[in-house]
Amino acid sequence: MRGLLKSRQQGVGAGSAYVLASFFISGVLTFGFQFLSAKVLGKPDFGRLMLLWSATFMTVQIFWIAGTQTLGRYISERESKGQDWRPVVRAVKRWQVWVLVAFVVGSILAGPLLTSVVFGGEYWLTIIFIISVAAYAPEYFRRGIFNGHRQFSRLGGQILAESSGRLLIAGAFFVFGYGVIGPAIAIAIAPIIGVLAVRPAPVDPPKSVGLPFDAGSASRFAAPVLVCMACAQAFANGGPLLLKLFGVSYTQIGLFGAALILTRVPQYVISPAIGSWLSHASRKLATEGPDAFDRFVARAAGLVGLVGVLMLGGTWVLGQWVIKLAAGHDYNPSRSLLMSLAALAAFYLICDLMNQTLFARGLGRLAALAWVSSLPFAGICLAVLNVPILYRVSVSLVVGVVVVAILQTTFYLLATRKGWHAGPGS
């Protein structure tokens, strides 16, 4: 039985390869969902869908990724030491339930404001937004369980079930002649499909009790994660929402959204894999020490940097041709807009990796400090640049993530040189 249970876990090499393969397919399916929607709906309705997509996934990442990261880090760390990981699960579940209740109640109370400011007076979009964000709570909780126990085949299966379900549901609605409501409903239903389709595998019982773990312990790690995710998602998904606040038309938002989607295709594949990397890094640091951890980080950084270079080169050569092929000739963003958004995606991946690295060392506050420090730079660019609004928003976002990448890399190098490392409760 012990051998069977161990076989349901995967090591760093096999796990990373499986996650990358699963997320590659998932990225293709997500790409298909978005560009099928772009082609069928046209730019104005696709602009509405992009507002829903951006608001949903910005909020999902802010509220639920902290729990995913907490589970991934502490389950993995405790399991590697033979300690009881179940208190981690109970603590995270408790405070995520409270967050879910607070979100639903707060969103209902703020419904009229959300509808008028974000969704252009269309209340049905607000309802789907609330349902979608709530539906992702158990899905992200399950991701943390899979990450912590290294059940990467199940993690990949859940992501594939979610992304394929979203595409199939949207396609079915389009076949029957429904407009933007079809893919909007698909966004809300997809995470439920993922949770129902794949369940965690049994794991070995813990060998010892270990240290207590409560909601306070979880929040000390999760609070910096929450700050990081809030800022990161403002950069990653905030572009369409910023354009809406500036009074830009749905047609222009749809054009910007299509360009954003195209340049982020590699990010759809790699960013979730980087999210699962935290459990690898925590286990490496706990079992093999700082030197092995630093070598592990260097290899990962080299790979992510190479991907970023390929993203920029591919966008320069093929970007305009691919977007017209995928979404239609009505979508004709300039090469400069595509390149700025590709740079945003590439530097975001670097920041994502450095987040995980600092989290694993217990230095989440430094990761959060880097994100918060970048906001004034992006805000100044947004205020002073004298270029068309699509470029102003995209360049401002790029400046922000470049600042984050520089600061986080500096903090990591200082931590390596000075031997900074916080304890498990940090």
Side-chain angles (χ1 to χ4, degrees):
M1 175 62 72
R2 183 178 179 83
L4 174 62
L5 294 178
K6 285 293 184 184
S7 70
R8 301 192 186 200
Q9 295 184 331
Q10 292 169 291
V12 174
S16 297
Y18 191 93
V19 168
L20 283 173
S22 300
F23 289 158
F24 174 78
I25 299 171
S26 175
V28 171
L29 293 170
T30 301
F31 180 85
F33 164 80
Q34 291 173 324
F35 277 107
L36 174 65
S37 300
K39 183 166 285 190
V40 172
L41 297 176
K43 282 189 284 189
D45 277 346
F46 184 63
R48 291 178 172 85
L49 184 67
M50 281 306 302
L51 285 176
L52 175 64
W53 180 275
S54 297
T56 296
F57 286 99
M58 184 168 69
T59 308
V60 163
Q61 292 282 317
I62 291 171
F63 282 145
W64 310 136
I65 199 68
T68 302
Q69 300 284 39
T70 303
L71 290 166
R73 177 189 175 183
Y74 287 109
I75 290 176
S76 177
E77 185 177 86
R78 288 183 169 224
E79 195 173 61
S80 69
K81 298 177 180 179
Q83 296 177 354
D84 192 357
W85 45 265
R86 291 171 295 187
V88 179
V89 176
R90 290 193 292 267
V92 173
K93 183 181 291 185
R94 278 196 300 270
W95 59 258
Q96 278 213 325
V97 167
W98 282 109
V99 171
L100 176 59
V101 171
F103 164 75
V104 172
V105 173
S107 297
I108 291 173
L109 293 176
L113 182 63
L114 280 171
T115 302
S116 61
V117 174
V118 178
F119 296 117
E122 300 179 76
Y123 201 78
W124 68 272
L125 283 173
T126 303
I127 294 172
I128 292 181
F129 163 73
I130 296 171
I131 294 171
S132 299
V133 174
Y136 270 100
E139 203 262 7
Y140 272 70
F141 185 87
R142 187 69 62 77
R143 287 191 194 188
I145 300 293
F146 290 143
N147 279 334
H149 290 308
R150 294 183 296 163
Q151 296 177 0
F152 300 113
S153 59
R154 291 173 183 266
L155 173 62
Q158 177 177 280
I159 300 296
L160 286 174
E162 174 197 335
S163 55
S164 59
R166 184 166 51 231
L167 176 59
L168 291 173
I169 292 169
F173 273 106
F174 287 145
V175 167
F176 288 101
Y178 288 89
V180 68
I181 193 170
I185 290 174
I187 291 172
I189 294 176
I192 300 171
I193 295 173
V195 170
L196 294 178
V198 184
R199 298 180 60 84
V203 297
D204 286 331
K207 298 174 183 176
S208 63
V209 175
L211 297 173
F213 193 91
D214 56 23
S217 300
S219 65
R220 282 194 293 275
F221 173 75
V225 176
L226 178 60
V227 173
C228 290
M229 289 303 106
C231 296
Q233 288 306 305
F235 288 111
N237 286 310
L241 299 174
L242 275 175
L243 293 174
K244 180 69 173 64
L245 293 177
F246 276 104
V248 175
S249 69
Y250 284 124
T251 298
Q252 288 291 88
I253 293 173
L255 177 65
F256 184 92
L260 183 65
I261 290 165
L262 175 68
T263 55
R264 287 179 60 182
V265 168
Q267 184 183 331
Y268 287 138
V269 178
I270 296 172
S271 193
I274 292 175
S276 69
W277 187 82
L278 177 60
S279 61
H280 295 316
S282 298
R283 185 176 295 268
K284 179 75 70 173
L285 184 61
T287 59
E288 300 182 33
D291 290 341
F293 174 81
D294 290 337
R295 290 192 295 270
F296 190 49
V297 171
R299 290 194 297 271
L303 178 61
V304 171
L306 175 61
V307 169
V309 171
L310 293 175
M311 289 167 66
L312 290 168
T315 301
W316 176 265
V317 174
L318 300 174
Q320 291 179 301
W321 175 75
V322 172
I323 198 169
K324 290 179 181 179
L325 178 68
H329 288 278
D330 286 344
Y331 294 85
N332 55 349
S334 67
R335 179 174 284 166
S336 58
L337 177 62
L338 288 170
M339 288 299 294
S340 63
L341 293 175
L344 173 64
F347 278 99
Y348 182 89
L349 287 176
I350 295 172
C351 297
D352 209 1
L353 177 67
M354 297 313 299
N355 272 348
Q356 309 307 309
T357 301
L358 292 170
F359 293 157
R361 292 197 72 134
L363 300 172
R365 291 187 182 118
L366 290 179
L369 176 61
W371 282 105
V372 173
S373 299
S374 72
L375 295 176
F377 291 91
I380 290 170
C381 288
L382 194 61
V384 304
L385 285 179
N386 186 23
V387 294
I389 186 62
L390 297 188
Y391 300 102
R392 194 182 349 154
V393 168
S394 61
V395 171
S396 299
L397 296 175
V398 172
V399 168
V401 293
V402 169
V403 171
V404 176
I406 293 171
L407 290 175
Q408 287 188 330
T409 302
T410 302
F411 291 151
Y412 168 68
L413 294 175
L414 286 172
T416 301
R417 177 177 297 180
K418 297 181 179 294
W420 297 344
H421 176 64
S426 301

